[in-house]
Every structure is written in structure tokens, then in C-alpha cells.
Amino acid sequence: GSTANGAVSIGGNAGTVGDLFVGSVISSNPAQVGSQATGSFHVLNGGNLTLANGGVLNIGTTGGIYRNGTAFNTASGTVTIDGTLTVSGNAGLAIGQTNGGVASGALSIGTLAMGANQFGFLSIGTAANNGQATGSLSIGGCDLRTSFVAVGTANGRSTAQGTVTLGGTGALLG
């Protein structure tokens, strides 16, 4: 398999981002099963980030063929936004995501500014079929609007653990 390790750390405001891939492996070649993807994206020191309409953050993800016999992919992703994450339209987040492998994902946001916008999908620490998954989501304040949320989830003969923390009076809305 392949190995992808990526890390981005910004010590202040990060501006606006559309699609961003950090530590991701995508392959349809069965010989590449057994890949490891590790990604981290951190906006520190109270910095803010705006996620553009239609934008997707892919941090520590694998795509394509995930399992071949006893071989499987591993994905690990962490995202921290110390300040405010502004969602300026329908956007998505995939953090620590694989299918049928081992996944861990963590998302921590100081404040979330969404207005009437929403995440089309929010996938954190997901492993789908016959995998192992651990995920955590922590938001300091604001309502979370999403049409699909999966935190620490897996299907079939799998193990999974997920935690969601919405601070203040925040609520999960869809």
C-alpha cells in the first residue's frame, strides 16, 4: 500500500478554502490496499477559517478499494480551528475516513458560524463495513446544521466509538 502523511499548521487567520486534501490516499488498484493516510490541519492562536460554498476538507482519508483479503486501509485525521469556522454555503468535512479499515478522526472548533448554511456531510472517524472507528466532535458554541453526520461510526461486524460535544446552548439541527 501507499503512505500519505500531511500536516498544515497556520498560526493565525487562514482565509477562505474550497477543496483541501491533507494526508489522503485514493487508489482503485487492489495492490494498494493496506495504505495509511494521516492528516492534520490546525488553525491556531485564535485564527479563523472560512469554508467556501461547495468546499470539502479531506483530512486523513482513504478512497477507492479499502480491503483485500486480510489487508485493509488505515486513516487518521485531526482538525483544530481555535477561532471561528465560517461555513459560507453547503460544504463537507471528511476527517479520518475509510471503508472497511481502521479510522480515527477528531474535529475541534472554537466557534461555528453557519447562519442558515449547513454541512452536506460531516464524517469524522468513520470506517463503514467491517472496520474499527473512533471519532470526536467538539464545538465551543453555535448550532450545528447538517444533513448527514457520522462521528465514530462503522457498519456490519465493526466496532465504533463516537463523542459529540456542543458547548453553550448549541444544538444539532438538520
Side-chain angles (χ1 to χ4, degrees):
S2 298
T3 300
N5 294 309
V8 175
S9 183
I10 299 169
N13 290 331
T16 300
V17 66
D19 292 335
L20 178 66
F21 289 81
V22 179
S24 294
V25 174
I26 300 172
S27 177
S28 60
N29 181 347
Q32 290 298 310
V33 172
S35 294
Q36 297 179 351
T38 303
S40 64
F41 180 73
H42 303 288
V43 180
L44 306 172
N45 302 321
N48 304 317
L49 175 72
T50 298
L51 186 56
N53 184 24
V56 177
L57 295 183
N58 291 279
I59 313 297
T61 60
T62 66
I65 299 173
Y66 301 93
R67 187 175 284 274
N68 187 8
T70 59
F72 55 85
N73 291 342
T74 303
S76 177
T78 58
V79 174
T80 303
I81 311 295
D82 279 352
T84 300
L85 173 62
T86 300
V87 179
S88 60
N90 188 14
L93 297 177
I95 303 166
Q97 177 179 311
T98 189
N99 185 10
V102 176
S104 65
L107 172 61
S108 176
I109 301 170
T111 302
L112 184 61
M114 301 190 82
N117 299 321
Q118 71 174 12
F119 289 109
F121 68 92
L122 186 58
S123 178
I124 304 166
T126 59
N129 297 315
N130 303 316
Q132 297 175 6
T134 304
S136 67
L137 167 63
S138 175
I139 300 174
C142 189
D143 293 338
L144 171 61
R145 296 180 183 279
T146 182
S147 57
F148 174 84
V149 63
V151 178
T153 61
N155 304 327
R157 294 172 295 189
S158 304
T159 58
Q161 177 179 342
T163 59
V164 176
T165 304
L166 299 175
T169 59
L172 179 61
L173 306 171

